[in-house]
Amino acid sequence: MNIDIEKAEKIIKKHAAEKGALIPLLQDMQTEYGYIRADAVKLIAEKLDIPSVEIYEVITFYAQFRTEPPGKHTIKVCQGTACHVMGGKQILNYILTTLKVKENGTTTDGLFSPERVACLGCCGMAPAIMIDNDFYGNCTIQKVDEILDGYRKKTG
Amino acid sequence: MKNRILVCAGTSGLSAGAGEVIEIFKSELKRLNLRGKFNLVKTGDRGLFRDVLVDIITDGKRVTYEHVKPADVKKITESHLVKNTPAAALTAGKSYEEFFANQTRVVLKNCGEIDPENIDEYIGTGGFEALKKAIPLPPEKIIDEIKKSGLRGRGGAGFSTGLKWEFCHKEKSGVKYMVCNADEGDPGAFMDRSILEGDPQSVIEGMIIAGYAIGANEGYIYCRAEYPLAIERLNKALKQAEERGFLGNNILKSDFSFKLSIKKGAGAFVCGEETALLASIEGKRGTPKPRPPFPAQKGLWGKPTVINNVETLANIPHIINNGADWFSAIGSAESKGTKVFALAGKVRNTGLVEIPMGTTIKNLIYGPGGGLKSKRSKLKAVQIGGPSGGCLPETLLSTPIDYKALAKTGAIMGSGGFIVMDEKTCMVDIAKFFLGFTVAESCGKCVPCRIGLKRMYEVLDKITKGRGETRDLDFLKEMCETIKSTALCGLGNTAPNPVLTTLKYFRREYEEHINNRVCDANTCVELVKFEVIEEKCVKCGKCSTSCPVGAIEWEKGRTAEINKEKCIKCMACFAACDFKAIK
């Protein structure tokens, strides 16, 4: 599958004149395609006249950028201090075990991509997870099971 | 003034369902034909985690409701708005009062009180008065005032804000930049987000004044991408400030022009470090540079730049309005003003607390914090300052919270993370946790941080898995000291603090792990046996029902038994057992 060149060019054009354009440009690309595609990098390199390697330098440095397509739902498992103290590590381990997936990977059904985040800033509801844009606080293993089931039903 | 209904709807409020509560209030006001009598205001978070907080202010009298569920709204409107009798069962209790009564709110003053998306509400509380006062003054006078106030950076290092401005002001350059550091990355700190969500104009006003004082006509707010609501509200606030002539050309009809834009971070903790942050704004990898030259001399695109943190900037309008003497009267001899802390962990009231500097750690926990969450647990340690800070034991609870006193203990003020821990928290595991974080976030540019921290992490990992040796402790200490004095930037310099402080105050726990292969807190799962203690087991079966993989065999009247082959060591049974009958 090729990217929609016109759309990608539009994003590049939007930022081309901006000082320090590369990061906002990549952020917009990721919003558009869900991840940073190799052909998009090639296009940016051509249009902005910078070597691809410099673009990859930035992509691999920042946690936000991914080069693989994400699952349908992103699960952000908070590993902040408060969550850690309240059992966040066990929640992350359980999610990985029960979904049979590695961190930053995607389940074989393409439904979930779990990842750890440093802090969601919901320390009062620790341990917390965020699925797509929804927060779930005071998580227990039972609660996680219910939440995941909810998403499975919604999709299935 | 019209009566007001305030609903706390920052990230915390919204995640607890504030959006739905607001919608129901809206339709209720319509149904009861009360839209003309009440202003429904969507505010930022006030700081206390109480699901959804709602205030109803009628004729100057305020009633607060906590834990408001969508289903409760009708009860409140029927009783309070129609019959004028507050719905007593839902009003906020004693702990709400205890949380707020013990605070001095300066930068959080407007959070939870005004609509952050409406500039008129900010102006109504005296907003932009400081800017009006500042613009006719010579920049030197403003800098003197900030210097005199004693304000120090609230982002971690605590450098004098006035001095920073003065250095930059003195640089001769046609182009200078003013940058707001809103890359709040410390796990456990979220005061900057709350200020940006609840009172964005105060930060913008602080930035404009700072820009004027240092001679910058352009500024950036570098905000974490993980804070979408803060970015959205900042964008709206910037637009409104421009429309009113507080931003743009010839501000308030003066010669001064100032342009502000937002740069979104991309998820790198190290970008909280000044020089790394600037590299990131320039669109590069966020790696720090050796200093000098300092950003005040050579910063963004090589031009003199001041970088201040959100909370620092939110203080500026208050200092200009009320004077340096007013500000320096708050706080201790060493540290002036207030500091916001994110109170969390095993404490009863969790949330954002603003207290005068010099308040003791104990008064913070037992004042606004309301003491420990569970009466049965015992306070073991307080972690202050996140990955750059330290764990302080109970014996140091009388330490006043100021820059100097905290530094003496081995912790630092940091950005304001404050986590209360009880006996269920393992100190070796906490040290490993923070180190795991700094290892992951190290940019890799300098050797001490890239390799040194990693080696330390491996040793800690070994200890938590029961393979530690006595000599490991000396090795850790030596590594800590070397990294502290040789790393390139603040991230590496302070990363050993969690290890140093736990080694200093909780050495016995390290020794227990190493000599006896025991983790008293049952946190290090490799040291946990996952066996039921027969004498303690009351045969209730709670552990068995809690097990997600069915690894605990139990029937009525029989002691439970854990099948170790099936067990995934998730600790659910430990949480379920009320009798500490699992080891």
Side-chain angles (χ1 to χ4, degrees):
Chain A
M1 193 176 82
N2 284 319
I3 51 167
D4 177 348
I5 296 286
E6 212 172 294
K7 242 187 207 161
E9 278 183 344
K10 222 166 138 190
I11 295 173
I12 296 171
K13 215 172 153 193
K14 184 179 145 204
H15 292 285
E18 195 177 314
K19 279 190 282 184
L22 186 56
I23 293 172
L25 204 164
L26 289 170
Q27 283 167 334
D28 280 0
M29 283 285 182
Q30 181 151 302
T31 313
E32 183 64 40
Y33 301 105
Y35 66 108
I36 308 286
R37 300 170 50 118
D39 42 6
V41 174
K42 224 172 128 192
L43 194 68
I44 298 170
E46 268 167 34
K47 297 278 173 192
L48 297 190
D49 195 22
I50 38 177
S52 296
V53 65
E54 276 178 30
I55 302 172
Y56 279 110
E57 224 177 44
V58 169
I59 294 172
T60 52
F61 184 82
Y62 293 99
Q64 192 192 11
F65 299 123
R66 39 164 78 233
T67 48
E68 304 270 330
K72 199 156 185 208
H73 304 289
T74 315
I75 309 176
K76 292 194 164 103
V77 189
C78 185
Q79 300 293 295
T81 321
C83 286
H84 181 79
V85 171
M86 306 299 275
K89 193 166 82 180
Q90 281 87 324
I91 298 290
L92 175 65
N93 286 344
Y94 180 67
I95 289 175
L96 298 178
T97 315
T98 187
L99 292 179
K100 299 190 182 68
V101 64
K102 282 204 179 98
E103 257 177 63
N104 301 321
T106 302
T107 50
T108 42
D109 57 6
L111 213 48
F112 299 109
S113 297
E115 54 186 66
R116 68 167 70 207
V117 287
C119 187
L120 291 172
C122 298
C123 308
M125 328 194 298
I129 64 172
M130 184 179 174
I131 302 186
D132 303 331
N133 285 318
D134 293 314
F135 286 89
Y136 299 92
N138 303 314
C139 285
T140 58
I141 281 163
Q142 286 89 339
K143 199 168 162 187
V144 166
D145 272 337
E146 284 164 26
I147 296 166
L148 294 179
D149 268 344
Y151 279 90
R152 282 188 193 107
K153 275 188 199 128
K154 221 169 26 182
T155 324
Chain B
M1 200 171 143
K2 257 200 322 195
N3 296 322
R4 286 161 75 85
I5 300 172
L6 312 177
V7 183
C8 283
T11 295
S12 314
L14 288 173
S15 62
E20 209 181 325
V21 168
I22 290 171
E23 285 310 310
I24 301 176
F25 261 112
K26 245 189 221 162
S27 60
E28 278 293 286
L29 286 178
K30 193 175 166 195
R31 184 180 69 91
L32 298 167
N33 220 355
L34 286 171
R35 277 192 295 183
K37 263 182 88 183
F38 285 92
N39 260 346
L40 181 61
V41 183
K42 189 172 153 189
T43 71
D45 288 321
R46 195 169 300 153
L48 179 65
F49 283 111
R50 280 290 188 272
D51 297 340
V52 184
L53 274 176
V54 175
D55 283 30
I56 298 185
I57 308 171
T58 42
D59 305 320
K61 217 177 135 253
R62 173 191 288 248
V63 176
T64 304
Y65 295 98
E66 60 183 359
H67 298 297
V68 178
K69 302 263 174 301
D72 299 329
V73 178
K74 221 168 166 179
K75 282 180 228 161
I76 297 173
T77 53
E78 287 286 351
S79 150
H80 199 145
L81 304 190
V82 178
K83 296 182 201 136
N84 207 15
T85 32
L90 296 162
T91 51
K94 222 180 93 203
S95 63
Y96 176 87
E97 273 165 43
E98 144 193 285
F99 185 78
F100 287 100
N102 293 298
Q103 297 190 42
T104 306
R105 287 167 80 94
V106 176
V107 297
L108 294 182
K109 199 184 85 188
N110 287 335
C111 291
E113 300 295 331
I114 64 166
D115 179 356
E117 298 184 12
N118 180 353
I119 194 169
D120 285 320
E121 294 233 333
Y122 179 65
I123 293 172
T125 64
F128 292 107
E129 286 304 315
L131 181 66
K132 287 179 194 157
K133 210 170 151 185
I135 293 268
L137 296 174
E140 293 82 4
K141 197 133 197 270
I142 299 170
I143 293 172
D144 277 345
E145 195 71 8
I146 301 300
K147 263 166 71 183
K148 218 172 94 192
S149 74
L151 175 66
R152 292 168 68 172
R154 299 294 193 243
F159 191 75
S160 158
T161 306
L163 272 180
K164 219 183 213 182
W165 289 14
E166 191 175 58
F167 292 149
C168 189
H169 172 74
K170 284 186 175 158
E171 288 294 319
K172 291 197 173 39
S173 167
V175 181
K176 291 180 190 177
Y177 293 101
M178 176 65 216
V179 173
C180 169
N181 183 348
D183 190 47
E184 187 174 49
D186 271 21
F190 49 95
M191 54 285 298
D192 292 351
R193 186 192 70 196
S194 273
I195 296 170
L196 294 173
E197 286 176 1
D199 195 12
Q201 296 289 8
S202 69
V203 181
I204 294 173
E205 188 179 1
M207 279 195 83
I208 306 169
I209 296 171
Y212 174 70
I214 62 168
N217 299 110
E218 209 177 320
Y220 289 99
I221 302 172
Y222 184 87
C223 187
R224 281 182 85 183
E226 290 89 337
Y227 289 176
L229 185 64
I231 293 172
E232 185 193 320
R233 290 193 175 157
L234 267 174
N235 268 320
K236 285 186 184 157
L238 285 179
K239 206 167 153 255
Q240 292 177 3
E242 270 166 32
E243 283 164 8
R244 298 300 174 92
F246 297 120
L247 274 173
N249 291 329
N250 303 91
I251 293 170
L252 299 171
K253 301 199 176 77
S254 70
D255 302 337
F256 176 60
S257 302
F258 192 65
K259 212 179 96 203
L260 254 183
S261 31
I262 299 171
K263 282 272 179 184
K264 272 198 295 183
F269 175 69
V270 69
C271 289
E273 200 276 344
E274 291 191 339
T275 55
L277 185 151
L278 296 179
S280 181
I281 293 183
E282 290 174 4
K284 302 181 203 146
R285 286 167 78 100
T287 51
K289 283 186 196 137
R291 299 177 298 178
F294 290 94
Q297 301 147 345
K298 263 184 103 175
L300 195 56
W301 288 296
K303 303 293 180 196
T305 305
V306 163
I307 302 140
N308 285 141
N309 135 293
V310 171
E311 193 186 334
T312 316
L313 287 165
N315 270 301
I316 301 293
H318 296 285
I319 297 173
I320 300 293
N321 273 330
N322 304 315
D325 293 335
W326 163 83
F327 187 81
S328 61
I330 308 170
S332 66
E334 173 62 29
S335 308
K336 304 300 182 192
T338 60
K339 174 79 192 93
V340 184
F341 283 94
L343 204 53
K346 307 285 173 72
V347 63
R348 192 144 62 109
N349 303 327
T350 53
L352 291 183
V353 181
E354 186 171 359
I355 45 153
M357 295 271 194
T359 307
T360 62
I361 296 175
K362 192 173 179 174
N363 285 346
L364 176 52
I365 300 174
Y366 291 93
L372 292 197
K373 197 170 251 170
S374 154
K375 277 191 189 133
R376 280 192 294 180
S377 58
K378 199 174 159 291
L379 189 140
K380 186 193 223 174
V382 178
Q383 210 285 340
I384 301 181
S388 321
C391 286
L392 304 182
E394 209 201 345
T395 47
L396 288 176
L397 286 192
S398 56
T399 310
I401 299 173
D402 73 24
Y403 291 101
K404 206 173 173 183
L406 282 179
K408 236 163 112 185
T409 64
I412 63 161
M413 179 80 74
S415 57
F418 192 103
I419 314 273
V420 178
M421 300 166 181
D422 65 5
E423 74 281 353
K424 284 188 188 148
T425 309
C426 167
M427 289 298 127
V428 186
D429 176 70
I430 278 292
K432 181 177 126 178
F433 162 74
F434 280 117
L435 221 56
F437 177 79
T438 35
V439 165
E441 294 295 343
S442 171
C443 78
K445 184 166 176 174
C446 75
V447 175
C449 184
R450 182 182 69 234
I451 301 172
L453 292 181
K454 180 96 179 140
R455 291 291 94 83
M456 279 174 67
Y457 180 84
E458 285 162 1
V459 169
L460 285 171
D461 189 51
K462 205 175 84 175
I463 297 175
T464 58
K465 290 188 171 146
R467 287 185 274 114
E469 300 159 77
T470 315
R471 60 174 185 164
D472 287 342
L473 299 186
D474 293 331
F475 171 79
L476 281 176
K477 193 131 192 283
E478 195 194 329
M479 286 295 273
C480 283
E481 271 145 23
T482 312
I483 296 169
K484 241 178 124 99
S485 54
T486 54
L488 174 62
C489 81
L491 190 154
N493 295 141
T494 57
N497 285 345
V499 181
L500 275 175
T501 49
T502 46
L503 265 178
K504 187 169 166 191
Y505 301 118
F506 302 95
R507 196 179 173 94
R508 195 197 57 85
E509 263 185 62
Y510 280 88
E511 288 166 351
E512 280 279 296
H513 281 72
I514 293 170
N515 301 335
N516 304 331
R517 310 280 190 244
V518 167
C519 171
D520 280 335
N522 286 324
T523 306
C524 302
V525 283
E526 274 83 356
L527 302 182
V528 176
K529 294 194 179 89
F530 291 97
E531 281 167 9
V532 178
I533 309 168
E534 209 169 340
E535 308 86 72
K536 284 192 182 170
C537 177
V538 298
K539 306 175 172 120
C540 68
K542 261 191 177 175
C543 54
S544 175
T545 30
S546 77
C547 180
V549 289
I552 305 183
E553 285 154 33
W554 169 82
E555 57 193 57
K556 218 170 172 189
R558 233 193 72 197
T559 306
E561 206 177 313
I562 301 175
N563 179 339
K564 287 188 190 173
E565 273 175 15
K566 277 195 191 166
C567 175
I568 57 166
K569 299 186 174 183
C570 73
M571 304 300 283
C573 51
F574 274 80
C577 181
D578 293 325
F579 304 93
K580 294 186 179 160
I582 305 171
K583 62 179 180 186

